Amino acid sequence: MKIAEYITKRLPCSHGQTVREQGSAFAPSNIALVKYWGKRDEDLHLPLTDSLSISLDYLGSTTTLSAALDQDSFTLNGKAMASNSQFCKRLSDFLGYFRCLACPFFKLSSEMNIPISAGLASSACGYAALTEALNELFDWQLDKHALSQISRIGSGSASRSHWQGFVIWHSGHDTNTDDCYAEPITTDWHDLCVAILPNESTQKFISSREAMALSMHQKNVREKWQYQTNEIIQVMQIAIHDKNFAQLGSLAQQHANAMHAIMHQSQPAINYDTDISKRQKQQITQLQNQNHGIYYTQDAGPHIKVLFQAENHALIKHYWPSAITINPWSQHIE
Ligand code: PMV
């Protein structure tokens, strides 16, 4: 099946009959605790394994969309983006699946309050917000499960950005792809916090999509990763159920390290670290050796994210005063 056919199957038959003045939505960024790395179907962007994330509350993207007559235009944080940039080409390709007579082009404006293209899931929240904005613009009235099946075509991890809290994305097994979707894990965990450590705001030298394809093409690498990830995600769900922080944190750190080890071993090697991120991971490991229960994770970028409990907020602020701290299930942690 081709993507166009896959998307058409998911849209209501009435797609294009209603085009509102605009559609607008916010979606939070998410951090994978069990990573999505590798695809079981490259064409349809079906993941090799399930993955599990935590959403970042108010950090994310607000996207507003309306119909345009003669060309697409994209504005990011108030700045017009060049139509020949990679960023705009990817957006135009995605929007191509939804063009219709009444809406041949789009005017898109996105406000993001996280660093872009630095491993902070800017594409995840961006494509999730965009898909929700499309839902409103065309009045599809699709639920979030269905939207997660559409947004993942823009960016796989976007499927997990339609909810707050913990979210699981099922890889599914069917070739018809209906069983590949994301859903929230209903729970709360009031003292669980995430810190985003400061780093330089550099753009990625290689996109996560390219890095994934390059590092996961060998059968033995894929099989080992699949086995390891299936084990970890089972235990992670038990850790969430039991609110076992040490288990959750150590598994997340182990899985992030495993993903980066695969990238380091690929040909050519891919390394998203900067001197700052290396130093931060060393500092966290030292603090772990001193019995502090804090754990890191890292996606396809240099930013290090720390999982900690509210009681360690002062410790985090002591070592990284400019870290952004988030407490997904409570408003304040001080
Ligand atoms: O959503 P993509 O195609 O940019 O891939 C995201 C991959 C990671 O961020 C590294 C892991 C994940 O599960 O979010």
Side-chain angles (χ1 to χ4, degrees):
M1 198 192 318
K2 291 272 181 285
I3 297 186
E5 187 189 341
Y6 166 84
I7 300 251
T8 308
K9 253 182 75 183
R10 269 159 185 83
L11 300 183
C13 317
S14 58
H15 170 64
Q17 285 170 17
T18 307
V19 182
R20 292 183 172 168
E21 205 169 306
Q22 67 167 52
S24 185
F26 168 80
S29 184
N30 77 76
I31 287 176
L33 303 180
V34 180
K35 310 292 184 196
Y36 149 53
W37 202 245
K39 296 186 172 88
R40 70 178 167 92
D41 183 316
E42 288 285 338
D43 292 337
L44 290 173
H45 305 282
L46 293 169
L48 193 57
T49 67
D50 295 356
S51 58
L52 193 155
S53 60
I54 186 165
S55 288
L56 292 184
D57 196 12
Y58 67 94
L59 291 181
S61 168
T62 303
T63 296
T64 305
L65 201 60
S66 54
L69 287 181
D70 49 1
Q71 58 177 10
D72 288 337
S73 66
F74 304 114
T75 310
L76 180 59
N77 292 344
K79 209 174 120 199
M81 302 296 287
S83 59
N84 60 356
S85 63
Q86 269 306 105
F87 177 86
C88 292
K89 280 192 193 144
R90 205 170 142 186
L91 274 172
S92 271
D93 286 350
F94 180 72
L95 287 169
Y97 300 115
F98 312 102
R99 298 183 202 281
C100 54
L101 267 182
C103 183
F105 296 98
F106 293 89
K107 181 177 176 209
L108 180 151
S109 156
S110 201
E111 293 293 323
M112 289 207 190
N113 56 6
I114 48 165
I116 292 149
S117 195
L120 270 178
S122 56
S123 61
C125 59
Y127 280 94
L130 171 56
T131 307
E132 293 192 20
L134 282 163
N135 190 38
E136 193 175 289
L137 180 71
F138 291 118
D139 197 25
W140 294 333
Q141 300 191 23
L142 294 176
D143 65 20
K144 291 193 176 196
H145 290 82
L147 294 176
S148 78
Q149 296 187 310
I150 295 176
S151 61
R152 76 168 161 75
I153 300 298
S155 173
S157 49
S159 64
R160 301 184 311 244
S161 266
H162 293 283
W163 297 270
Q164 295 286 358
F166 293 114
V167 180
I168 186 163
W169 175 21
H170 304 284
S171 69
H173 304 287
D174 287 357
T175 43
N176 72 10
T177 73
D178 285 346
D179 59 353
C180 176
Y181 62 91
E183 63 178 342
I185 299 176
T186 318
T187 187
D188 55 17
W189 195 334
H190 288 277
D191 67 343
L192 183 68
C193 304
V194 182
I196 296 162
L197 301 193
N199 205 316
E200 314 144 304
S201 274
T202 46
Q203 290 269 312
K204 282 186 199 181
F205 60 94
I206 175 169
S207 71
S208 50
R209 194 166 271 190
E210 288 167 286
M212 194 183 290
L214 192 66
S215 62
M216 291 295 279
H217 72 274
Q218 281 182 357
K219 194 164 175 261
N220 60 335
V221 175
R222 293 161 61 85
E223 282 176 357
K224 189 171 164 214
W225 172 259
Q226 198 171 5
Y227 179 79
Q228 191 179 16
T229 304
N230 289 344
E231 296 264 292
I232 287 187
I233 204 155
Q234 299 291 337
V235 188
M236 177 80 77
Q237 285 174 88
I238 298 169
I240 290 173
H241 178 267
D242 297 346
K243 297 199 171 50
N244 182 339
F245 177 73
Q247 180 84 281
L248 176 108
S250 53
L251 286 174
Q253 182 169 319
Q254 183 190 331
H255 203 244
N257 285 340
M259 180 181 80
H260 285 276
I262 288 175
M263 286 193 258
H264 296 166
Q265 281 151 24
S266 90
Q267 298 282 343
I270 303 163
N271 194 334
Y272 282 109
D273 274 318
T274 59
D275 288 345
I276 298 176
S277 64
K278 279 190 224 156
R279 206 163 44 243
Q280 288 168 339
K281 286 190 278 189
Q282 276 164 5
Q283 275 175 316
I284 294 165
T285 311
Q286 273 167 16
L287 288 166
Q288 285 169 353
N289 293 338
Q290 293 160 22
N291 285 327
H292 292 291
I294 66 170
Y295 302 89
Y296 68 79
T297 183
Q298 180 181 11
D299 290 295
H303 272 88
I304 300 300
K305 280 81 70 157
V306 183
L307 297 161
F308 65 101
Q309 288 168 293
E311 64 187 25
N312 275 327
H313 187 242
L315 179 84
I316 297 291
K317 283 290 184 182
H318 171 77
Y319 281 91
W320 302 283
S322 59
I324 303 170
T325 53
I326 293 142
N327 189 199
W329 283 274
S330 304
Q331 291 300 309
H332 302 287
I333 46 178
E334 273 123 325

